[in-house]
Amino acid sequence: GENVEQHPSTLSVQEGDSAVIKCTYSDSASNYFPWYKQELGKGPQLIIDIRSNVGEKKDQRIAVTLNKTAKHFSLHITETQPEDSAVYFCAASTGTASKLTFGTGTRLQVTL
Amino acid sequence: EPEVTQTPSHQVTQMGQEVILRCVPISNHLYFYWYRQILGQKVEFLVSFYNNEISEKSEIFDDQFSVERPDGSNFTLKIRSTKLEDSAMYFCASSSTRGREADTQYFGPGTRLTVL
């Protein structure tokens, strides 16, 4: 089955700096890669996603890149703000309405 | 904006008791899922459900677990005889059936289950 690895497990950046979180996946059939933000005591909230026919996608301060050959994808957050502090999860799935396999999460701390 | 809702937010039960966790998916969604997250760990898939039957289930989803869509709006997860290791946060999710939108799963706020 699919295995998703995520690094780093914790990341501390100063406000205004960029943050990068990386994930690798094992199943070449995976074609959908969402990123979720989870705040304390809440459910995962989708922040951006990318499909395998696209190499990069951007939404304001957030971007995701995908390298299908290397089987890795990354989340980039620019101009970080304190409200970006949360746990971020990457995930992968193999098709429509298929299960999501999650990474182990990255705790991002944005300090003033 | 439509959202997935879950009740209760926190459920405390004794080992061996049955619990039912409830979810109201987004109204026009027809794919439903349950995931769980043990404290401090990653989110794990339990089961997916479509057209009144299970589409896929994980090894975690054994005979002690069942799911049901009892009416047009609710989706439930039942654990027949809870164990200490069932203590976790349980998340319900739903997705649309419209083409690629079915890829996107929207999560509820979760039910924290504590088994004593």
Side-chain angles (χ1 to χ4, degrees), chain A residues 4-72:
Chain A
V4 177
E5 303 279 344
Q6 184 172 348
H7 300 279
S9 56
T10 60
L11 179 59
S12 183
V13 300
Q14 286 199 321
E15 183 180 7
D17 288 350
S18 295
V20 180
I21 302 170
K22 298 182 179 182
C23 288
T24 60
Y25 62 98
S26 61
D27 189 347
S28 56
S30 288
N31 59 12
Y32 175 67
F33 307 93
W35 286 88
Y36 286 87
K37 176 182 180 181
Q38 187 178 30
E39 296 174 328
L40 196 63
K42 296 185 178 180
Q45 181 182 15
L46 180 75
I47 55 172
I48 195 166
D49 56 13
I50 191 167
R51 290 178 174 82
S52 59
N53 60 340
V54 175
E56 183 173 359
K57 183 177 178 181
K58 190 172 181 181
D59 182 4
Q60 299 183 340
R61 296 186 297 109
I62 294 173
V64 57
T65 58
L66 171 65
N67 183 327
K68 283 172 53 181
T69 303
K71 296 198 190 73
H72 67 69

Side-chain angles (χ1 to χ4, degrees), chain A residues 51-106:
Chain A
R51 290 178 174 82
S52 59
N53 60 340
V54 175
E56 183 173 359
K57 183 177 178 181
K58 190 172 181 181
D59 182 4
Q60 299 183 340
R61 296 186 297 109
I62 294 173
V64 57
T65 58
L66 171 65
N67 183 327
K68 283 172 53 181
T69 303
K71 296 198 190 73
H72 67 69
F73 55 114
S74 300
L75 177 71
H76 305 251
I77 306 173
T78 58
E79 301 172 26
T80 53
Q81 301 167 2
E83 51 265 39
D84 294 329
S85 296
V87 179
Y88 291 81
F89 289 97
C90 63
S93 80
T94 58
T96 299
S98 294
K99 67 178 183 183
L100 292 173
T101 301
F102 282 82
T104 47
T106 296

